[in-house]
Every structure is written in structure tokens, then in C-alpha cells.
Amino acid sequence: MPTPSSVSRAEPDRPARLPLGPLGYGAAALGNLYSARPDDVWPGIVPAAWEAGIRYFDTAPHYGLGLSERRLGESLRGLPRDQHILSTKVGRLLEPNPDYRPGDTDLPNLFDTPATSRRRVDYSRDGILRSVEESLIRLGVDRIDVLFVHDPDDHEREALDTAFPALDELRSQGIIRAYGAGMNQSAMLARFVRETDLDVVMCAGRYTLLDDSAARDLLPAAEERGVQVVVAAVFNSGLLATDRPRPGAHFDYAQPPQSLVARTNRIADVAGEYGVTVPQLALQFPLRHPAVTTVVTGADTAAQIAANAQLMEKPIPTALWSRLIEEGLIPAAGDNRK
């Protein structure tokens, strides 16, 4: 098995770029993120995404202690397997929870599902292989297209020494098509891009209308190395999800500073003159950078995923982007038109 030092840095032998499409569906809601999804609601989400042309679906064992994987697999069953891309994540193994008592939920970890299992962080080769095997069972599929190392913020060395070499081995054997890492930061992702031969990274919340930190490290590295970038959390957990900031709206899961609220309102003022909304801008902004191939959003209902797809399709005037940049309301790095 290759070691980190034996993997080529100059001329990576990567497969063809993944046909992820501009919009993907992140299935955390299928794991009952924040609240339980009724049985007459969640089964309609993936079919609505498919109808809207979405062909990339992402999940993780972490989401609802495997519930998201099981529901996503059930939802995709019967749809042409060779017409969509499926990704999940490694780094957290699920084990029986010996402390479970009836009524205990996973809400401390944001998922409203019985806490009959618990997570154990494991980025070892054996842990990666076990995680893949268990995900295949939960998803009910015989292959996974993309595996992401999930949030190794406190485990960078383990990711480099054991997780990525294991995924490189799986890719070389044809067991997976591609691998990468998914995180809420860009700096470590940039180091992974430079130091491994991964194919794709998922960066959450760090390349948005209000936070362009990924443009200073990750995106230049990815463009140079030919690595695909998937951007998630483009609404920064709520502030950019509505036409104007609502009372109590969060920015990165916390109360936003007033300066960001005022900036968002000003973006809404300018966008409104062109018949454009803040969510429409938020969805399309990341794709203006040549390194970004895909935006992934969640959805609680079929109507929500259909609405996101419609917002992605509506064209935004070039004059609006230029004006937002000139007024200093969005990062100049966004002026990378494709």
C-alpha cells in the first residue's frame, strides 16, 4: 500500500473529472437534522431532486447515526445507478451505545433520532475499510463513487498517514472512483490538496457571499492541482437563505454581527434593482470561480429542493455582479466568470 511519501505530487494520475453537475443534494435532512422528518415528507425529497435534474447526492454515517444513508439508499433505489454520483464519508464508525435509554436522542449532535448508536473517530486503514463496508450495507449499493475523509480537524496527521493512503488504495483497485476530504475550513483542505493526490474536496461555508477565505488558500491550490471543489453551506447556516435577514437568523450557527446583517441587507437592496434575490446570488456565487464545479445544498422538503434548483437556473446579470464587487459587498475574487 502506498505511503504519503510514495504518492506522486507533480503528475497525479487522477481519473476523469466527476460529472457532479452544478447543483447537488446534501442529505443531512434525511438523517433528521434538527428535527424528525415525517414519513410523508422525506420520501419525496430525492425524487424532486431527480426531477429537477440533480444527479449528485452526498451523505455520511454521521448524519442521524446512519439514518441518512439508509433513507438516501432507499430513495435512490430504482433510479438508474449509472446516471448519478453517490458520495459518503469516512472517519466516524458507528457502534452500539451501551448507555442508551429509551427516549434518548442524538439531538446533542443535532440529529433527532434515537441514540442507539454512538460515533467513534477512526481514521486508521482498518477503520476506513470497515466504514466503507458498513456504508455499502446501509445504502444498499454495491459501490460508492466518492469517499470523503470527514472533518479531520484534530486528526491531520492521521488523515495523511493512514486515511488518504487507504483511500488511494481503494481508488487504484477500482473500488471507488474518487476520494477527498470534507471540512468546514479551507486551510487544511489546501494542505491536503498540495500533499496528496485526492480528486475532490468539499468545503463548507468558506466560499460564500460573506466569507471568501477559501479564495486565499484552497481555491488557488485546487486550480493548480486540477482538484474539483464542491462548495457547501452557501447560505452560511441561515443569514443568506432568505430575501432579507430574518430576526434570529444565524451566521455559521451563531448570532451574526450587526455589520454582516447590514451588509446582507445592502446586497439585497442592490440585487432587488435587478430582480435578483440574496439566495439566488448565494447559490450561484461559488460557481463563478473556475476551481468550483458544484454547489451542494440541503433541503427539508421536495418543494425546497425544487426551489433551489430553480434559483440556480435563473441567470444573474453581469452588471449586478460588477456592481456588488465595486461597492465592496462581495469578494472581488468572485469576479472569475466562466
Side-chain angles (χ1 to χ4, degrees):
M1 186 177 73
T3 64
S5 61
S6 69
V7 178
S8 168
R9 301 290 176 262
E11 297 293 339
D13 184 19
R14 298 193 184 93
R17 291 168 72 83
L18 296 162
L20 300 176
L23 183 63
Y25 175 57
L30 296 184
N32 288 347
L33 179 65
Y34 303 128
S35 62
R37 300 302 184 276
D39 287 340
D40 61 348
V41 171
W42 71 261
I45 297 175
V46 168
W50 190 274
E51 180 68 22
I54 292 171
R55 295 295 184 269
Y56 172 44
F57 301 88
D58 174 71
T59 183
H62 171 61
Y63 302 158
L65 296 168
L67 180 62
S68 173
E69 287 187 321
R70 290 192 293 272
R71 284 179 168 176
L72 181 59
E74 182 178 338
S75 297
L76 289 171
R77 206 158 297 137
L79 296 174
R81 181 63 185 91
D82 60 352
Q83 293 182 22
H84 66 270
I85 301 294
L86 177 61
S87 67
T88 190
K89 303 180 181 74
V90 294
R92 291 180 174 97
L93 287 172
L94 302 182
E95 299 178 332
N97 181 6
D99 300 321
Y100 173 73
R101 299 293 180 270
D104 290 351
T105 72
D106 195 43
L107 276 172
N109 296 300
L110 305 181
F111 295 94
D112 188 4
T113 188
T116 53
S117 300
R118 64 183 180 184
R119 302 164 182 84
R120 177 169 63 83
V121 172
D122 191 334
Y123 296 98
S124 69
R125 180 182 183 277
D126 288 346
I128 298 300
L129 298 181
R130 176 181 158 188
S131 182
V132 174
E133 182 178 2
E134 293 176 353
S135 287
L136 286 168
I137 293 171
R138 284 190 292 266
L139 287 161
V141 297
D142 60 4
R143 71 183 191 276
I144 295 167
D145 298 296
V146 186
L147 287 175
F148 290 109
V149 178
H150 200 181
D151 290 339
D153 300 75
D154 299 323
H155 303 271
E156 182 174 7
R157 197 68 256 162
E158 294 168 67
L160 288 168
D161 289 347
T162 58
F164 287 124
L167 294 178
D168 193 85
E169 180 182 4
L170 290 174
R171 185 185 65 183
S172 68
Q173 294 172 351
I175 296 173
I176 61 174
R177 294 175 61 181
Y179 69 86
M183 305 184 71
N184 294 300
Q185 61 157 293
S186 61
M188 191 179 294
L189 285 177
R191 292 197 292 275
F192 290 157
V193 167
R194 296 189 184 97
E195 297 177 29
T196 77
D197 280 346
L198 52 71
D199 308 285
V200 56
V201 294
M202 180 178 288
C203 183
R206 303 285 76 86
Y207 193 58
T208 72
L209 291 176
L210 300 177
D211 184 340
D212 72 328
S213 52
R216 295 189 286 276
D217 43 36
L218 173 61
L219 298 186
E223 190 172 10
E224 179 182 350
R225 296 275 292 157
V227 170
Q228 291 179 257
V229 178
V230 174
V231 173
V234 294
F235 300 130
N236 284 122
S237 75
L239 190 60
L240 298 172
T242 53
D243 291 354
R244 288 189 179 274
R246 293 177 178 172
H250 288 159
F251 175 80
D252 288 355
Y253 308 101
Q255 182 176 350
Q258 191 54 42
S259 60
L260 280 187
V261 175
R263 179 175 158 194
T264 305
N265 273 312
R266 180 55 187 160
I267 291 173
D269 289 340
V270 176
E273 297 178 23
Y274 295 80
V276 174
T277 65
V278 168
Q280 187 181 351
L281 288 169
L283 277 169
Q284 295 193 32
F285 168 77
L287 293 170
R288 291 171 59 75
H289 195 288
V292 178
T293 61
T294 307
V295 169
V296 164
T297 66
D300 295 333
T301 64
Q304 191 175 58
I305 194 67
N308 286 342
Q310 290 175 357
L311 289 176
M312 182 67 84
E313 293 174 356
K314 293 180 179 179
I316 295 175
T318 301
L320 172 56
W321 292 118
S322 298
R323 184 170 166 193
L324 291 170
I325 293 168
E326 289 165 3
E327 291 197 23
L329 294 170
I330 67 172
D335 196 19
N336 291 313
R337 300 176 183 84
K338 288 188 175 180

